[in-house]
Amino acid sequence: MSTATAQPLHLSPASGWQPPALDESAVDVLYDDVVAASRDRRRGYSQPALRVVLNTGDVDPQFGPQATQTHLLPEPRAWLQRMAGALLECMTGVRSTNQIARWVSPLVAERVNARSVIAKRRGARPLHRSLVRRVHLCEPDDGVVEASVVVQHDGRVRAMALRMVGVDGRWIVTAMELG
């Protein structure tokens, strides 16, 4: 009969208390997982906000969402600077995503909410407030503004692309990309 001898336990020091930074592809994978999970949970659930879809046959032209001309809307540059800052605060978990729900399309709200969930899960808070450095506007059509925004966010200078459409007397962000 042989006797078993216990091997000594080797402990390695912890690598650090902060999680490693995620690259963009990992964030996209996490985002896709969160969106898929939220869609599965919402089956059988009535969405509290209405999706804004213009120019479709099933929308009543008198009582449905109405396109608004640019001259009847707030000045886009100043509005966009405030909105870009609010979107960044929402994506880092500093601001509630419910605060911007009225001014973004449901798809943009879903993306911002997913990034907010990831940021809250990581527990990281930005050291400095996000700063909007520069805004470049382009108006491809009346009531439509496309913008590229240069922001300083989490110690990095990044680009943000936004598309806004005038609906019912206010701007609504219908597309957003953060580089």
Side-chain angles (χ1 to χ4, degrees):
M1 179 170 186
S2 68
T3 60
T5 58
Q7 296 292 329
L9 181 64
H10 295 287
L11 297 176
S12 300
S15 61
W17 61 273
Q18 293 184 343
L22 295 174
D23 61 343
E24 287 299 318
S25 62
V27 171
D28 290 340
V29 168
L30 288 173
Y31 164 73
D32 292 339
D33 292 344
V34 169
V35 169
S38 69
R39 285 186 180 144
D40 290 340
R41 275 187 269 125
R42 283 191 293 191
R43 290 195 178 141
Y45 174 73
S46 176
Q47 182 176 351
L50 296 175
R51 289 193 182 263
V52 177
V53 180
L54 297 175
N55 302 329
T56 61
D58 60 345
V59 175
D60 187 344
Q62 296 295 321
F63 298 104
Q66 301 293 315
T68 306
Q69 297 174 342
T70 303
H71 73 277
L72 298 174
L73 295 164
E75 199 277 316
R77 185 176 304 275
W79 189 89
L80 191 64
Q81 282 183 314
R82 290 190 307 271
M83 190 58 168
L87 286 167
L88 289 170
E89 289 174 359
C90 289
M91 285 188 280
T92 56
V94 174
R95 178 187 293 251
S96 170
T97 56
N98 292 335
Q99 294 181 8
I100 62 163
R102 182 173 187 227
W103 294 284
V104 297
S105 69
L107 181 62
V108 172
E110 198 171 275
R111 291 190 70 196
V112 170
N113 190 42
R115 283 186 177 246
S116 175
V117 167
I118 292 168
K120 287 177 184 176
R121 190 179 306 150
R122 289 180 60 203
R125 291 281 196 188
L127 298 175
H128 303 288
R129 186 173 176 196
S130 299
L131 175 68
V132 177
R133 292 183 160 265
R134 199 170 281 139
V135 176
H136 300 281
L137 298 177
C138 172
E139 294 187 39
D141 198 6
D142 191 31
V144 177
V145 172
E146 294 177 348
S148 61
V149 182
V150 179
V151 295
Q152 185 170 348
H153 176 65
D154 279 344
R156 294 177 21 187
V157 176
R158 302 177 82 174
M160 179 185 275
L162 298 165
R163 180 180 174 95
M164 303 184 310
V165 177
V167 178
D168 292 336
R170 66 179 186 263
W171 288 115
I172 292 183
V173 177
T174 58
M176 179 201 69
E177 289 295 326
L178 181 63

